[in-house]
Amino acid sequence: MSSSRPTENTAGIHELGKESPDIEDPKSLAGYDVDERGGHHDHVVVADRLARKLSARQVQMIAIGGTIGTGLFLGTGKSLATGGPASMLIAYMIVGVIVFLTMLALGEMAAFIPVAGSFCTFAGRFVDDGFGFALTWNYWFNDAVSTAADLVALQLILEYWTTNFPGWALSLIFWFALIAANIITVRAYGELEYWLSLLKVVTITIFMILGIAVNCGGNRDHKYIGTKYWYIGDAPFVGGIGGFASVFVTASFAYGGTESIAITAGETKDPTKNIPRVVKNVFWRILIFYVISVLLIGLNVSYLTPKLSTKSSATSPFTIVFQMAGSNAAGSFINAVIMTSVLSAGNHALFAGTRLLYTLAVNRHAPQVFGKLNRNKVPWVAVLATSVISGLCFGASFIGAGQLWTWLQNIVGVSNQLSWIAIGIASIRFRAGLKHQGKTHLLPFKNWTYPYGPWFSVILNSFLVLVQGWSCFSPHFSGVDFVSYYIELPVMAVMFVGWKLLKRTHFKRVEDMDFETDVYERQPGEEKADRKGWRGKLETAVRWIF
């Protein structure tokens, strides 16, 4: 069975000035769409109803900034304290490989079918509707909890300066700021995220240069540090196998958000060109921003450093390195920059969670009210509903910000891993369906690691999910830690089985897979936007490097 892709493009229907059908009436979406001339064709558009207002500039920087967040700036402190420098470096490298393979698989699907739900939509379309239901709700909760975790992180960062100002008040201020940025228009979100992401990139670049200088003697003591901190106490592997295993969930939390760049595909201009660009550069971002930063942290900061990670507080290793380089003023400066980075991470998480709740409504997996759009095509009800979960951050007043942040970090880290597993499974089924229907040649971007990459990611991730909670069993069993490591597994299983039994869903057969709905065709004029000659080659080179 084979068929060609539709010749007419309808993904940009809003930009043509036509009103889209109401989400409450899915029948109006079935079977046809309207083109600019008032004619009809067979290309069905269901989920692709958001305004495409994110430019290539914004998407590229959001993708880079999405790789740099609370997990890198603050989570590396916990990783270093519990696992030591060697465990931290190895774990971040392994998880980095997993993320790279996952992004290649995801980019292949997102460039072909760029919708807001991204991999959650793919899981339902190419595996099983129950699987897509469970994954989407899981990842929505992931993003909502991530926003809460970032608001808690703000309280930890504030403690560097003072403990007299109530942390919940700071969280409340930024909570309203995030809601405002996400509810007005996607262009406001994109522009805010662009500049915050640019600031993060500049900060990481300065940190890497400064980290090398500090290690070579450019510190307050004017002494060469070298690998000294790799051999003190229990270093380089702290806490044995339990300490090593526990770093994986922290690393997964840190890398989380990289895959959610595909969720912006539903609001990205010319996604068949821009999404592959973003995916191809993931490897370099992982290598530069994570591996090198983690290596420099392990060389310059001892795992015995006070307040690196405790139940009541946590200090960023980045702040410590800046202090070593100069004065407390330098530490205050980087701490302020880290605060803006945490705000950026929360902004990104709230955006992604909102789009997933919108997708749940579109797919009839959630009340239809969450699919309502304002005049700027922003799902405003979904923004408000997702932000409500962020109220978890106020629990820090009773539990302790450091302890609450650790638990939230574990939950989000495991949720990220489950999402990566699902992306791998969806990719395997996606390719199988394309091959059976003779449509593989239609892919605008191909995952060159298929089939080995997706299979490797699924198997290794599954193993890590099971063993990374080792520390909650040894030396003594910790019930709360156990729940934070493993609660996601039964919850997602129950949601999958429950929806499957309730709706009597079936695993998708390759011959029944839908490769027509929401498939994107480049708009007239988008091909002309590609620069030719030396300018085009220069832009290509810059994108490859950065």
Side-chain angles (χ1 to χ4, degrees), residues 505-536:
T505 63
H506 301 282
F507 286 102
K508 302 293 184 181
R509 297 184 299 179
V510 289
E511 60 268 24
D512 296 331
M513 290 182 184
D514 178 8
F515 294 111
E516 297 293 336
T517 305
D518 295 319
V519 173
Y520 186 82
E521 290 287 337
R522 296 188 76 178
Q523 298 265 352
E526 284 181 336
E527 292 86 350
K528 297 178 182 178
D530 296 334
R531 288 185 181 272
K532 305 296 183 182
W534 67 270
R535 287 187 177 182

PDB file of all heavy atoms in Angstrom, residues 505-536:
ATOM      1  N   THR A 505      -9.031   0.129  23.195  1.00  0.00           N
ATOM      2  CA  THR A 505      -8.084   0.510  22.138  1.00  0.00           C
ATOM      3  C   THR A 505      -7.280  -0.698  21.693  1.00  0.00           C
ATOM      4  O   THR A 505      -7.182  -1.704  22.402  1.00  0.00           O
ATOM      5  CB  THR A 505      -7.130   1.600  22.641  1.00  0.00           C
ATOM      6  OG1 THR A 505      -6.345   1.090  23.725  1.00  0.00           O
ATOM      7  CG2 THR A 505      -7.911   2.814  23.128  1.00  0.00           C
ATOM      8  N   HIS A 506      -6.679  -0.587  20.522  1.00  0.00           N
ATOM      9  CA  HIS A 506      -5.874  -1.671  19.968  1.00  0.00           C
ATOM     10  C   HIS A 506      -4.513  -1.137  19.524  1.00  0.00           C
ATOM     11  O   HIS A 506      -4.397   0.032  19.151  1.00  0.00           O
ATOM     12  CB  HIS A 506      -6.583  -2.310  18.769  1.00  0.00           C
ATOM     13  CG  HIS A 506      -7.932  -2.873  19.090  1.00  0.00           C
ATOM     14  ND1 HIS A 506      -8.105  -4.079  19.731  1.00  0.00           N
ATOM     15  CD2 HIS A 506      -9.191  -2.385  18.864  1.00  0.00           C
ATOM     16  CE1 HIS A 506      -9.399  -4.319  19.890  1.00  0.00           C
ATOM     17  NE2 HIS A 506     -10.083  -3.300  19.379  1.00  0.00           N
ATOM     18  N   PHE A 507      -3.510  -1.994  19.572  1.00  0.00           N
ATOM     19  CA  PHE A 507      -2.205  -1.613  19.061  1.00  0.00           C
ATOM     20  C   PHE A 507      -2.311  -1.359  17.557  1.00  0.00           C
ATOM     21  O   PHE A 507      -2.968  -2.106  16.832  1.00  0.00           O
ATOM     22  CB  PHE A 507      -1.174  -2.715  19.332  1.00  0.00           C
ATOM     23  CG  PHE A 507      -0.749  -2.786  20.774  1.00  0.00           C
ATOM     24  CD1 PHE A 507      -1.265  -3.763  21.610  1.00  0.00           C
ATOM     25  CD2 PHE A 507       0.164  -1.880  21.291  1.00  0.00           C
ATOM     26  CE1 PHE A 507      -0.887  -3.829  22.948  1.00  0.00           C
ATOM     27  CE2 PHE A 507       0.546  -1.937  22.619  1.00  0.00           C
ATOM     28  CZ  PHE A 507       0.020  -2.911  23.449  1.00  0.00           C
ATOM     29  N   LYS A 508      -1.670  -0.290  17.118  1.00  0.00           N
ATOM     30  CA  LYS A 508      -1.787   0.106  15.716  1.00  0.00           C
ATOM     31  C   LYS A 508      -1.068  -0.889  14.805  1.00  0.00           C
ATOM     32  O   LYS A 508       0.091  -1.235  15.036  1.00  0.00           O
ATOM     33  CB  LYS A 508      -1.178   1.500  15.519  1.00  0.00           C
ATOM     34  CG  LYS A 508      -1.799   2.592  16.367  1.00  0.00           C
ATOM     35  CD  LYS A 508      -3.232   2.886  15.960  1.00  0.00           C
ATOM     36  CE  LYS A 508      -3.800   4.046  16.770  1.00  0.00           C
ATOM     37  NZ  LYS A 508      -5.183   4.364  16.429  1.00  0.00           N
ATOM     38  N   ARG A 509      -1.776  -1.325  13.785  1.00  0.00           N
ATOM     39  CA  ARG A 509      -1.156  -2.163  12.770  1.00  0.00           C
ATOM     40  C   ARG A 509      -0.495  -1.259  11.731  1.00  0.00           C
ATOM     41  O   ARG A 509      -0.972  -0.155  11.452  1.00  0.00           O
ATOM     42  CB  ARG A 509      -2.196  -3.057  12.109  1.00  0.00           C
ATOM     43  CG  ARG A 509      -2.854  -4.045  13.082  1.00  0.00           C
ATOM     44  CD  ARG A 509      -3.810  -4.973  12.359  1.00  0.00           C
ATOM     45  NE  ARG A 509      -4.895  -4.227  11.726  1.00  0.00           N
ATOM     46  CZ  ARG A 509      -5.864  -4.807  11.018  1.00  0.00           C
ATOM     47  NH1 ARG A 509      -5.853  -6.129  10.841  1.00  0.00           N
ATOM     48  NH2 ARG A 509      -6.824  -4.057  10.478  1.00  0.00           N
ATOM     49  N   VAL A 510       0.608  -1.731  11.159  1.00  0.00           N
ATOM     50  CA  VAL A 510       1.380  -0.895  10.239  1.00  0.00           C
ATOM     51  C   VAL A 510       0.540  -0.420   9.060  1.00  0.00           C
ATOM     52  O   VAL A 510       0.715   0.703   8.556  1.00  0.00           O
ATOM     53  CB  VAL A 510       2.634  -1.645   9.746  1.00  0.00           C
ATOM     54  CG1 VAL A 510       3.648  -1.778  10.855  1.00  0.00           C
ATOM     55  CG2 VAL A 510       2.263  -3.022   9.191  1.00  0.00           C
ATOM     56  N   GLU A 511      -0.387  -1.259   8.609  1.00  0.00           N
ATOM     57  CA  GLU A 511      -1.204  -0.874   7.457  1.00  0.00           C
ATOM     58  C   GLU A 511      -2.267   0.166   7.807  1.00  0.00           C
ATOM     59  O   GLU A 511      -2.820   0.827   6.926  1.00  0.00           O
ATOM     60  CB  GLU A 511      -1.876  -2.106   6.828  1.00  0.00           C
ATOM     61  CG  GLU A 511      -2.807  -2.865   7.755  1.00  0.00           C
ATOM     62  CD  GLU A 511      -2.110  -3.997   8.494  1.00  0.00           C
ATOM     63  OE1 GLU A 511      -0.865  -3.912   8.639  1.00  0.00           O
ATOM     64  OE2 GLU A 511      -2.799  -4.938   8.918  1.00  0.00           O
ATOM     65  N   ASP A 512      -2.553   0.333   9.114  1.00  0.00           N
ATOM     66  CA  ASP A 512      -3.587   1.275   9.538  1.00  0.00           C
ATOM     67  C   ASP A 512      -3.024   2.605  10.053  1.00  0.00           C
ATOM     68  O   ASP A 512      -3.794   3.498  10.434  1.00  0.00           O
ATOM     69  CB  ASP A 512      -4.455   0.653  10.636  1.00  0.00           C
ATOM     70  CG  ASP A 512      -5.239  -0.558  10.145  1.00  0.00           C
ATOM     71  OD1 ASP A 512      -5.549  -0.599   8.945  1.00  0.00           O
ATOM     72  OD2 ASP A 512      -5.518  -1.466  10.959  1.00  0.00           O
ATOM     73  N   MET A 513      -1.711   2.738  10.100  1.00  0.00           N
ATOM     74  CA  MET A 513      -1.117   3.958  10.637  1.00  0.00           C
ATOM     75  C   MET A 513      -1.418   5.157   9.741  1.00  0.00           C
ATOM     76  O   MET A 513      -1.420   5.054   8.517  1.00  0.00           O
ATOM     77  CB  MET A 513       0.395   3.781  10.799  1.00  0.00           C
ATOM     78  CG  MET A 513       0.776   2.822  11.905  1.00  0.00           C
ATOM     79  SD  MET A 513       2.581   2.694  12.102  1.00  0.00           S
ATOM     80  CE  MET A 513       2.679   1.415  13.360  1.00  0.00           C
ATOM     81  N   ASP A 514      -1.671   6.305  10.389  1.00  0.00           N
ATOM     82  CA  ASP A 514      -2.071   7.518   9.688  1.00  0.00           C
ATOM     83  C   ASP A 514      -0.853   8.378   9.352  1.00  0.00           C
ATOM     84  O   ASP A 514      -0.227   8.948  10.247  1.00  0.00           O
ATOM     85  CB  ASP A 514      -3.049   8.294  10.567  1.00  0.00           C
ATOM     86  CG  ASP A 514      -3.497   9.609   9.940  1.00  0.00           C
ATOM     87  OD1 ASP A 514      -3.175   9.839   8.765  1.00  0.00           O
ATOM     88  OD2 ASP A 514      -4.159  10.397  10.644  1.00  0.00           O
ATOM     89  N   PHE A 515      -0.522   8.457   8.073  1.00  0.00           N
ATOM     90  CA  PHE A 515       0.581   9.299   7.622  1.00  0.00           C
ATOM     91  C   PHE A 515       0.072  10.424   6.721  1.00  0.00           C
ATOM     92  O   PHE A 515       0.785  10.888   5.829  1.00  0.00           O
ATOM     93  CB  PHE A 515       1.621   8.457   6.874  1.00  0.00           C
ATOM     94  CG  PHE A 515       2.316   7.450   7.747  1.00  0.00           C
ATOM     95  CD1 PHE A 515       2.084   6.097   7.575  1.00  0.00           C
ATOM     96  CD2 PHE A 515       3.192   7.850   8.740  1.00  0.00           C
ATOM     97  CE1 PHE A 515       2.725   5.157   8.379  1.00  0.00           C
ATOM     98  CE2 PHE A 515       3.835   6.925   9.551  1.00  0.00           C
ATOM     99  CZ  PHE A 515       3.595   5.577   9.372  1.00  0.00           C
ATOM    100  N   GLU A 516      -1.165  10.848   6.950  1.00  0.00           N
ATOM    101  CA  GLU A 516      -1.742  11.934   6.170  1.00  0.00           C
ATOM    102  C   GLU A 516      -2.109  13.136   7.051  1.00  0.00           C
ATOM    103  O   GLU A 516      -1.825  14.273   6.703  1.00  0.00           O
ATOM    104  CB  GLU A 516      -3.013  11.442   5.441  1.00  0.00           C
ATOM    105  CG  GLU A 516      -2.764  10.332   4.433  1.00  0.00           C
ATOM    106  CD  GLU A 516      -1.949  10.786   3.238  1.00  0.00           C
ATOM    107  OE1 GLU A 516      -1.960  12.002   2.959  1.00  0.00           O
ATOM    108  OE2 GLU A 516      -1.298   9.955   2.591  1.00  0.00           O
ATOM    109  N   THR A 517      -2.736  12.860   8.207  1.00  0.00           N
ATOM    110  CA  THR A 517      -3.202  13.943   9.075  1.00  0.00           C
ATOM    111  C   THR A 517      -2.034  14.762   9.622  1.00  0.00           C
ATOM    112  O   THR A 517      -1.077  14.218  10.161  1.00  0.00           O
ATOM    113  CB  THR A 517      -4.009  13.373  10.258  1.00  0.00           C
ATOM    114  OG1 THR A 517      -5.063  12.571   9.760  1.00  0.00           O
ATOM    115  CG2 THR A 517      -4.575  14.498  11.114  1.00  0.00           C
ATOM    116  N   ASP A 518      -2.133  16.077   9.473  1.00  0.00           N
ATOM    117  CA  ASP A 518      -1.168  17.034  10.016  1.00  0.00           C
ATOM    118  C   ASP A 518       0.221  16.953   9.394  1.00  0.00           C
ATOM    119  O   ASP A 518       1.171  17.542   9.929  1.00  0.00           O
ATOM    120  CB  ASP A 518      -1.053  16.900  11.538  1.00  0.00           C
ATOM    121  CG  ASP A 518      -2.342  17.263  12.249  1.00  0.00           C
ATOM    122  OD1 ASP A 518      -2.973  18.235  11.834  1.00  0.00           O
ATOM    123  OD2 ASP A 518      -2.716  16.554  13.197  1.00  0.00           O
ATOM    124  N   VAL A 519       0.385  16.208   8.302  1.00  0.00           N
ATOM    125  CA  VAL A 519       1.673  16.204   7.608  1.00  0.00           C
ATOM    126  C   VAL A 519       1.892  17.593   7.018  1.00  0.00           C
ATOM    127  O   VAL A 519       1.004  18.151   6.378  1.00  0.00           O
ATOM    128  CB  VAL A 519       1.708  15.134   6.498  1.00  0.00           C
ATOM    129  CG1 VAL A 519       2.983  15.268   5.670  1.00  0.00           C
ATOM    130  CG2 VAL A 519       1.636  13.743   7.116  1.00  0.00           C
ATOM    131  N   TYR A 520       3.073  18.153   7.241  1.00  0.00           N
ATOM    132  CA  TYR A 520       3.321  19.550   6.863  1.00  0.00           C
ATOM    133  C   TYR A 520       3.940  19.660   5.474  1.00  0.00           C
ATOM    134  O   TYR A 520       4.875  18.939   5.147  1.00  0.00           O
ATOM    135  CB  TYR A 520       4.252  20.204   7.885  1.00  0.00           C
ATOM    136  CG  TYR A 520       4.449  21.690   7.671  1.00  0.00           C
ATOM    137  CD1 TYR A 520       3.502  22.594   8.138  1.00  0.00           C
ATOM    138  CD2 TYR A 520       5.559  22.180   6.992  1.00  0.00           C
ATOM    139  CE1 TYR A 520       3.669  23.959   7.941  1.00  0.00           C
ATOM    140  CE2 TYR A 520       5.728  23.538   6.794  1.00  0.00           C
ATOM    141  CZ  TYR A 520       4.783  24.422   7.274  1.00  0.00           C
ATOM    142  OH  TYR A 520       4.948  25.772   7.087  1.00  0.00           O
ATOM    143  N   GLU A 521       3.402  20.564   4.684  1.00  0.00           N
ATOM    144  CA  GLU A 521       3.975  20.911   3.390  1.00  0.00           C
ATOM    145  C   GLU A 521       4.476  22.344   3.477  1.00  0.00           C
ATOM    146  O   GLU A 521       3.791  23.219   4.012  1.00  0.00           O
ATOM    147  CB  GLU A 521       2.923  20.794   2.289  1.00  0.00           C
ATOM    148  CG  GLU A 521       2.509  19.368   1.968  1.00  0.00           C
ATOM    149  CD  GLU A 521       3.581  18.605   1.221  1.00  0.00           C
ATOM    150  OE1 GLU A 521       4.441  19.258   0.580  1.00  0.00           O
ATOM    151  OE2 GLU A 521       3.580  17.371   1.277  1.00  0.00           O
ATOM    152  N   ARG A 522       5.646  22.597   2.956  1.00  0.00           N
ATOM    153  CA  ARG A 522       6.219  23.940   3.022  1.00  0.00           C
ATOM    154  C   ARG A 522       5.315  24.950   2.320  1.00  0.00           C
ATOM    155  O   ARG A 522       4.769  24.677   1.264  1.00  0.00           O
ATOM    156  CB  ARG A 522       7.611  23.967   2.401  1.00  0.00           C
ATOM    157  CG  ARG A 522       8.616  23.101   3.145  1.00  0.00           C
ATOM    158  CD  ARG A 522      10.022  23.300   2.632  1.00  0.00           C
ATOM    159  NE  ARG A 522      10.584  24.557   3.109  1.00  0.00           N
ATOM    160  CZ  ARG A 522      11.826  24.963   2.831  1.00  0.00           C
ATOM    161  NH1 ARG A 522      12.607  24.218   2.075  1.00  0.00           N
ATOM    162  NH2 ARG A 522      12.284  26.109   3.306  1.00  0.00           N
ATOM    163  N   GLN A 523       5.183  26.122   2.950  1.00  0.00           N
ATOM    164  CA  GLN A 523       4.334  27.183   2.416  1.00  0.00           C
ATOM    165  C   GLN A 523       4.972  27.808   1.179  1.00  0.00           C
ATOM    166  O   GLN A 523       6.196  27.830   1.050  1.00  0.00           O
ATOM    167  CB  GLN A 523       4.160  28.280   3.478  1.00  0.00           C
ATOM    168  CG  GLN A 523       3.488  27.800   4.728  1.00  0.00           C
ATOM    169  CD  GLN A 523       2.002  28.054   4.687  1.00  0.00           C
ATOM    170  OE1 GLN A 523       1.494  28.708   3.793  1.00  0.00           O
ATOM    171  NE2 GLN A 523       1.294  27.528   5.653  1.00  0.00           N
ATOM    172  N   PRO A 524       4.173  28.332   0.272  1.00  0.00           N
ATOM    173  CA  PRO A 524       4.737  29.072  -0.852  1.00  0.00           C
ATOM    174  C   PRO A 524       5.574  30.239  -0.341  1.00  0.00           C
ATOM    175  O   PRO A 524       5.133  31.017   0.502  1.00  0.00           O
ATOM    176  CB  PRO A 524       3.486  29.580  -1.602  1.00  0.00           C
ATOM    177  CG  PRO A 524       2.420  28.608  -1.229  1.00  0.00           C
ATOM    178  CD  PRO A 524       2.704  28.213   0.188  1.00  0.00           C
ATOM    179  N   GLY A 525       6.780  30.319  -0.802  1.00  0.00           N
ATOM    180  CA  GLY A 525       7.669  31.387  -0.358  1.00  0.00           C
ATOM    181  C   GLY A 525       8.672  30.943   0.670  1.00  0.00           C
ATOM    182  O   GLY A 525       9.702  31.590   0.873  1.00  0.00           O
ATOM    183  N   GLU A 526       8.403  29.823   1.367  1.00  0.00           N
ATOM    184  CA  GLU A 526       9.356  29.357   2.379  1.00  0.00           C
ATOM    185  C   GLU A 526      10.640  28.873   1.727  1.00  0.00           C
ATOM    186  O   GLU A 526      11.725  29.042   2.281  1.00  0.00           O
ATOM    187  CB  GLU A 526       8.737  28.248   3.224  1.00  0.00           C
ATOM    188  CG  GLU A 526       7.736  28.753   4.235  1.00  0.00           C
ATOM    189  CD  GLU A 526       7.140  27.646   5.080  1.00  0.00           C
ATOM    190  OE1 GLU A 526       7.127  26.487   4.638  1.00  0.00           O
ATOM    191  OE2 GLU A 526       6.672  27.972   6.191  1.00  0.00           O
ATOM    192  N   GLU A 527      10.512  28.258   0.528  1.00  0.00           N
ATOM    193  CA  GLU A 527      11.706  27.815  -0.168  1.00  0.00           C
ATOM    194  C   GLU A 527      12.579  29.014  -0.544  1.00  0.00           C
ATOM    195  O   GLU A 527      13.804  28.943  -0.519  1.00  0.00           O
ATOM    196  CB  GLU A 527      11.338  27.036  -1.440  1.00  0.00           C
ATOM    197  CG  GLU A 527      10.664  25.700  -1.176  1.00  0.00           C
ATOM    198  CD  GLU A 527       9.153  25.834  -1.008  1.00  0.00           C
ATOM    199  OE1 GLU A 527       8.682  26.984  -0.906  1.00  0.00           O
ATOM    200  OE2 GLU A 527       8.475  24.791  -0.975  1.00  0.00           O
ATOM    201  N   LYS A 528      11.916  30.151  -0.858  1.00  0.00           N
ATOM    202  CA  LYS A 528      12.659  31.343  -1.242  1.00  0.00           C
ATOM    203  C   LYS A 528      13.404  31.947  -0.066  1.00  0.00           C
ATOM    204  O   LYS A 528      14.345  32.719  -0.238  1.00  0.00           O
ATOM    205  CB  LYS A 528      11.691  32.389  -1.807  1.00  0.00           C
ATOM    206  CG  LYS A 528      10.984  31.929  -3.079  1.00  0.00           C
ATOM    207  CD  LYS A 528      10.012  32.987  -3.565  1.00  0.00           C
ATOM    208  CE  LYS A 528       9.254  32.513  -4.813  1.00  0.00           C
ATOM    209  NZ  LYS A 528       8.272  33.522  -5.277  1.00  0.00           N
ATOM    210  N   ALA A 529      12.946  31.606   1.162  1.00  0.00           N
ATOM    211  CA  ALA A 529      13.589  32.161   2.355  1.00  0.00           C
ATOM    212  C   ALA A 529      14.972  31.584   2.565  1.00  0.00           C
ATOM    213  O   ALA A 529      15.781  32.139   3.295  1.00  0.00           O
ATOM    214  CB  ALA A 529      12.732  31.906   3.589  1.00  0.00           C
ATOM    215  N   ASP A 530      15.266  30.444   1.937  1.00  0.00           N
ATOM    216  CA  ASP A 530      16.588  29.845   2.059  1.00  0.00           C
ATOM    217  C   ASP A 530      17.592  30.694   1.286  1.00  0.00           C
ATOM    218  O   ASP A 530      17.474  30.890   0.079  1.00  0.00           O
ATOM    219  CB  ASP A 530      16.597  28.414   1.496  1.00  0.00           C
ATOM    220  CG  ASP A 530      15.690  27.502   2.287  1.00  0.00           C
ATOM    221  OD1 ASP A 530      15.477  27.793   3.476  1.00  0.00           O
ATOM    222  OD2 ASP A 530      15.204  26.513   1.709  1.00  0.00           O
ATOM    223  N   ARG A 531      18.575  31.191   1.976  1.00  0.00           N
ATOM    224  CA  ARG A 531      19.570  32.034   1.322  1.00  0.00           C
ATOM    225  C   ARG A 531      20.469  31.202   0.410  1.00  0.00           C
ATOM    226  O   ARG A 531      20.850  30.096   0.742  1.00  0.00           O
ATOM    227  CB  ARG A 531      20.442  32.748   2.368  1.00  0.00           C
ATOM    228  CG  ARG A 531      19.710  33.851   3.121  1.00  0.00           C
ATOM    229  CD  ARG A 531      20.675  34.578   4.034  1.00  0.00           C
ATOM    230  NE  ARG A 531      20.037  35.627   4.786  1.00  0.00           N
ATOM    231  CZ  ARG A 531      19.888  36.877   4.361  1.00  0.00           C
ATOM    232  NH1 ARG A 531      20.319  37.207   3.158  1.00  0.00           N
ATOM    233  NH2 ARG A 531      19.302  37.781   5.109  1.00  0.00           N
ATOM    234  N   LYS A 532      20.820  31.780  -0.709  1.00  0.00           N
ATOM    235  CA  LYS A 532      21.722  31.134  -1.643  1.00  0.00           C
ATOM    236  C   LYS A 532      23.078  31.829  -1.602  1.00  0.00           C
ATOM    237  O   LYS A 532      23.250  32.880  -1.006  1.00  0.00           O
ATOM    238  CB  LYS A 532      21.142  31.195  -3.064  1.00  0.00           C
ATOM    239  CG  LYS A 532      19.728  30.622  -3.182  1.00  0.00           C
ATOM    240  CD  LYS A 532      19.694  29.134  -2.865  1.00  0.00           C
ATOM    241  CE  LYS A 532      18.289  28.579  -3.052  1.00  0.00           C
ATOM    242  NZ  LYS A 532      18.198  27.146  -2.699  1.00  0.00           N
ATOM    243  N   GLY A 533      24.037  31.237  -2.262  1.00  0.00           N
ATOM    244  CA  GLY A 533      25.348  31.853  -2.393  1.00  0.00           C
ATOM    245  C   GLY A 533      26.147  31.813  -1.104  1.00  0.00           C
ATOM    246  O   GLY A 533      25.925  30.990  -0.213  1.00  0.00           O
ATOM    247  N   TRP A 534      27.089  32.772  -0.973  1.00  0.00           N
ATOM    248  CA  TRP A 534      28.017  32.754   0.165  1.00  0.00           C
ATOM    249  C   TRP A 534      27.308  33.031   1.487  1.00  0.00           C
ATOM    250  O   TRP A 534      27.717  32.518   2.532  1.00  0.00           O
ATOM    251  CB  TRP A 534      29.135  33.774  -0.058  1.00  0.00           C
ATOM    252  CG  TRP A 534      28.693  35.203  -0.039  1.00  0.00           C
ATOM    253  CD1 TRP A 534      28.269  35.961  -1.086  1.00  0.00           C
ATOM    254  CD2 TRP A 534      28.625  36.055   1.115  1.00  0.00           C
ATOM    255  NE1 TRP A 534      27.942  37.230  -0.686  1.00  0.00           N
ATOM    256  CE2 TRP A 534      28.159  37.327   0.660  1.00  0.00           C
ATOM    257  CE3 TRP A 534      28.913  35.892   2.465  1.00  0.00           C
ATOM    258  CZ2 TRP A 534      27.977  38.402   1.524  1.00  0.00           C
ATOM    259  CZ3 TRP A 534      28.737  36.967   3.324  1.00  0.00           C
ATOM    260  CH2 TRP A 534      28.274  38.204   2.857  1.00  0.00           C
ATOM    261  N   ARG A 535      26.239  33.852   1.461  1.00  0.00           N
ATOM    262  CA  ARG A 535      25.509  34.127   2.696  1.00  0.00           C
ATOM    263  C   ARG A 535      24.842  32.865   3.238  1.00  0.00           C
ATOM    264  O   ARG A 535      24.851  32.605   4.438  1.00  0.00           O
ATOM    265  CB  ARG A 535      24.446  35.201   2.455  1.00  0.00           C
ATOM    266  CG  ARG A 535      25.014  36.594   2.278  1.00  0.00           C
ATOM    267  CD  ARG A 535      23.908  37.622   2.221  1.00  0.00           C
ATOM    268  NE  ARG A 535      24.438  38.967   2.123  1.00  0.00           N
ATOM    269  CZ  ARG A 535      23.684  40.065   2.104  1.00  0.00           C
ATOM    270  NH1 ARG A 535      22.359  39.944   2.163  1.00  0.00           N
ATOM    271  NH2 ARG A 535      24.236  41.253   2.005  1.00  0.00           N
ATOM    272  N   GLY A 536      24.248  32.081   2.348  1.00  0.00           N
ATOM    273  CA  GLY A 536      23.618  30.829   2.762  1.00  0.00           C
ATOM    274  C   GLY A 536      24.632  29.866   3.340  1.00  0.00           C
ATOM    275  O   GLY A 536      24.382  29.199   4.344  1.00  0.00           O
TER     276      GLY A 536
END
